[in-house]
Amino acid sequence: MSPDSRRWCFADQLGPHFLDEPDQPVLLIESRAAFARRRFHRRKAHLVLSALRHRAAELGEQAVFLQTRTYRQALEQLDEPISVCQPTSWAADRFVRSQPNVEVLPARGFCTDRDAFGSWAEGHRTLKLENFYRDARRRFDLLMDGNNPVEGRWNFDADNREPAPNTAELGIKAPWRPEEDEIDEQVRADLDRWERDGDVSFVGRDGPREFAVTAAEARQALDVFVRDRLPHFGPHEDAMLSGDRFMAHSLLSAPMNLGLLDPLDCAYAAEDAYRSGKAPLASVEGYIRQLIGWRDYIWHVYWHFGRGYRRRNALDAHGRLPKWFAELDADSVDAHCLKDVLAQVRDHGWVHHIPRLMVLSNYALQRGWNPAAMTDWFHRCFVDGYEWVMVANVVGMSQHADGGLMATKPYTSGGAYINRMSNYCGDCRYRPSERVGDRACPFTGGYWWFLERNAKHLENNQRMTQPLAGMRRLKDLDAVVEQQRSLGGRAP
């Protein structure tokens, strides 16, 4: 196929690095059916459509922009050969490969390509993130002095786990914020009309756009993060404050997952901040590890373990998501941490990674909710949620549903962890130290219930020997289990 053939760019492939030449002809498709199949968060629907329409306006006559019910209908209108970079889901990949006159190119938007990952994986018995990350550091010459890591350390994870400070907020400069325009107004009007007509239905609340939708906006957001927030990122990377939902996080995952930023460019920008003395190594290393390590690793795990990976359920967790959780009804929740985090999802479609893992996912894991349902919930309710992101993060990491292919032990903890890493527990009706009674923390009681319920699944895991031994020493274990089981699907 000619190198100047029209390039079909999906709505998560909107950056200039998805084109071979700046003036290459482009195809953009807005499919109404994509929003009708699932109840997405209203803010996510707005963000995706705004980004797609902004790209169409930016390209002008260079792009054919088709607004149809389905992708198939759009392709039937276009009578010419096209190329497309590999899509980011199994379903989309299968669809484009089934279409005549569509050439599927290797994926873009990630640092390590699939062939390089495959070669690395063949040489390792286990796919440990740390090994992959160090290999990527060497290949991309990031934070390296020759063959050695700068300052003699690969990983500053231990330095980046400070508990929440005794303040209402971190007190650093705010992240970059966009200004809405006429395209945003039209998207909002269209979503309102589609909803009135019964074509679509959403969860969550609408509000002003908070994330970049063009490559230029995304670059501004990156520059603000590197200049003002990256120096503070590391120490409290794993902490939570009820009065500071952003902390020092970048807020770049949404534009990056729209394809507006090249993650490798972001990693080099962070390295430049370290080399010029503008940001400490611990913060820079932590951020770069998220980009060339964790993000790429999650992408490759999605493809490496195959289409059936999303259906894994090693702990036999089949509980249904209760309505209050599925509908983001934070007002029905009393537990301060869960109430605040669920409200952030309802109002913004975003929280940073620790509330996702140690509040939302931790609670679901303890209750034995179905991991496939949790994967779908995260996909729909988060502005940066896509199938490739959430399958490995939820099935593999947060719900331990793959039986340990990704994580060596389940990511669950009692209220003591939340108390140490946040300011949520001080004014909560529940006490993190209590596991039975009216003031028993649902996370503390839930932790022991999870261990009791899954003891047979976990007894051969060496990293779970000590927690299981502690569980067996509890004299009130039966009472803990009975109280947690009796809660059913009620909001805590």
Side-chain angles (χ1 to χ4, degrees):
M1 190 172 290
S2 170
D4 60 355
S5 66
R6 190 173 297 277
R7 177 64 44 81
W8 177 13
C9 293
F10 278 82
D12 55 358
Q13 300 175 333
L14 299 179
H17 50 292
F18 287 92
L19 303 183
D20 296 336
E21 300 292 341
D23 60 350
Q24 182 175 15
V26 173
L27 169 64
L28 299 171
I29 302 174
E30 181 182 301
S31 165
R32 181 88 60 91
F35 296 95
R37 284 192 293 266
R38 288 188 171 105
R39 291 189 67 206
F40 286 103
H41 198 292
R42 170 63 186 246
R43 281 181 177 255
K44 178 173 186 173
H46 181 272
L47 187 73
V48 171
L49 288 182
S50 177
L52 189 63
R53 295 183 186 183
H54 273 91
R55 184 59 167 152
E58 184 178 69
L59 291 171
E61 294 183 358
Q62 182 180 339
V64 170
F65 180 39
L66 300 177
Q67 295 171 296
T68 56
R69 192 179 66 84
T70 67
Y71 291 128
R72 192 181 303 276
Q73 288 177 346
L75 295 177
E76 289 172 350
Q77 295 181 29
L78 193 74
D79 185 22
E80 64 177 289
I82 59 174
S83 61
V84 63
C85 298
Q86 182 199 336
T88 58
S89 73
W90 282 102
D93 184 72
R94 180 176 59 181
F95 173 74
V96 298
R97 294 182 191 276
S98 72
Q99 298 302 301
N101 298 323
V102 176
E103 179 186 16
V104 183
L105 306 174
R108 300 185 188 182
F110 299 89
C111 304
T112 298
D113 63 45
R114 289 183 63 183
D115 288 341
F117 182 85
S119 298
W120 172 83
E122 286 180 3
H124 291 77
R125 291 180 56 191
T126 57
L127 305 183
K128 288 184 64 176
L129 168 64
E130 183 66 20
N131 292 339
F132 171 70
Y133 165 62
R134 294 185 184 189
D135 180 73
R137 283 269 295 273
R138 295 186 185 98
R139 283 187 286 109
F140 298 121
D141 193 26
L142 274 161
L143 298 180
M144 300 294 294
D145 283 338
N147 293 322
N148 300 311
V150 293
E151 300 189 22
R153 287 179 62 182
W154 287 103
N155 190 319
F156 286 76
D157 215 14
D159 297 30
N160 292 345
R161 293 175 177 167
E162 292 187 17
N166 190 25
T167 56
E169 55 187 31
L170 281 186
I172 65 175
K173 290 186 178 180
W176 175 89
R177 292 292 293 270
E179 292 184 7
E180 291 198 356
D181 58 17
E182 293 180 357
I183 293 178
D184 289 300
E185 293 178 9
Q186 185 58 56
V187 169
R188 185 165 286 111
D190 287 344
L191 292 175
D192 287 341
R193 187 180 74 256
W194 296 354
E195 197 166 22
R196 285 195 306 269
D197 293 344
D199 295 337
V200 298
S201 178
F202 300 111
V203 296
R205 295 176 178 174
D206 194 12
R209 176 164 63 85
E210 297 180 311
F211 299 92
V213 293
T214 68
E217 283 189 343
R219 185 69 208 191
Q220 292 175 30
L222 172 65
D223 291 344
V224 169
F225 169 68
V226 171
R227 184 189 68 223
D228 298 337
R229 300 170 61 78
L230 177 60
H232 310 278
F233 172 69
H236 300 294
E237 183 180 349
D238 287 358
M240 300 175 283
L241 288 173
S242 61
D244 191 342
R245 65 188 182 93
F246 298 137
M247 303 294 283
H249 292 274
S250 72
L251 277 73
L252 297 175
S253 58
M256 192 173 295
N257 290 352
L258 288 167
L260 299 173
L261 288 170
D262 185 324
L264 201 53
D265 288 346
C266 297
Y268 285 122
E271 182 188 38
D272 288 345
Y274 163 72
R275 299 284 187 184
S276 61
K278 297 177 181 177
L281 179 57
S283 290
V284 172
E285 188 277 322
Y287 180 60
I288 287 177
R289 181 162 17 96
Q290 288 188 350
L291 294 175
I292 71 169
W294 184 252
R295 185 175 185 270
D296 262 29
Y297 181 73
I298 288 294
W299 159 257
H300 289 295
V301 163
Y302 174 76
W303 297 100
H304 183 78
F305 289 130
R307 296 188 65 188
Y309 185 72
R310 66 170 293 119
R311 297 189 296 274
R312 287 180 178 261
N313 194 350
L315 298 181
D316 292 327
H318 299 287
R320 298 181 63 182
L321 273 60
K323 185 176 180 180
W324 60 267
F325 189 90
E327 298 291 331
L328 311 180
D329 182 12
D331 294 337
S332 68
V333 180
D334 289 332
H336 188 191
C337 60
L338 187 56
K339 182 184 187 71
D340 184 66
V341 172
L342 197 62
Q344 290 182 44
V345 180
R346 177 195 66 199
D347 296 342
H348 304 280
W350 185 91
V351 296
H352 69 79
H353 70 280
I354 292 301
R356 299 188 200 203
L357 179 63
M358 301 310 298
V359 177
L360 299 169
S361 296
N362 187 16
Y363 192 83
L365 177 64
Q366 291 179 356
R367 266 83 201 147
W369 294 348
N370 185 283
M374 280 299 294
T375 300
D376 179 68
W377 182 84
F378 270 104
H379 180 179
R380 294 183 296 104
C381 293
F382 280 76
V383 293
D384 56 3
Y386 294 84
E387 178 165 302
W388 71 266
V389 178
M390 294 308 178
V391 167
N393 267 302
V394 177
V395 172
M397 187 180 187
S398 80
Q399 301 304 294
H400 203 69
D402 66 358
L405 292 176
M406 268 188 62
T408 55
K409 71 179 184 69
Y411 275 87
T412 185
S413 70
Y417 174 89
I418 296 173
N419 190 31
R420 182 171 69 253
M421 299 303 294
S422 78
N423 63 350
Y424 282 123
C425 299
D427 59 355
C428 182
R429 61 166 286 191
Y430 300 113
R431 298 289 86 203
S433 60
E434 298 184 24
R435 55 182 176 262
V436 178
D438 292 339
R439 287 159 51 91
C441 172
F443 286 91
T444 301
Y447 173 76
W448 297 115
W449 183 36
F450 168 81
L451 292 182
E452 188 273 342
R453 196 175 66 249
N454 292 285
K456 290 183 178 180
H457 291 291
L458 303 173
E459 59 187 2
N460 294 324
N461 186 325
Q462 292 185 351
R463 296 194 65 189
M464 297 304 297
T465 299
Q466 185 173 348
L468 290 173
M471 177 201 71
R472 295 183 181 106
R473 289 193 295 268
L474 294 183
K475 295 181 179 179
D476 58 356
L477 179 61
D478 289 344
V480 173
V481 171
E482 178 57 31
Q483 178 169 336
Q484 293 300 315
R485 185 182 289 125
S486 68
L487 290 175
R490 299 199 305 274

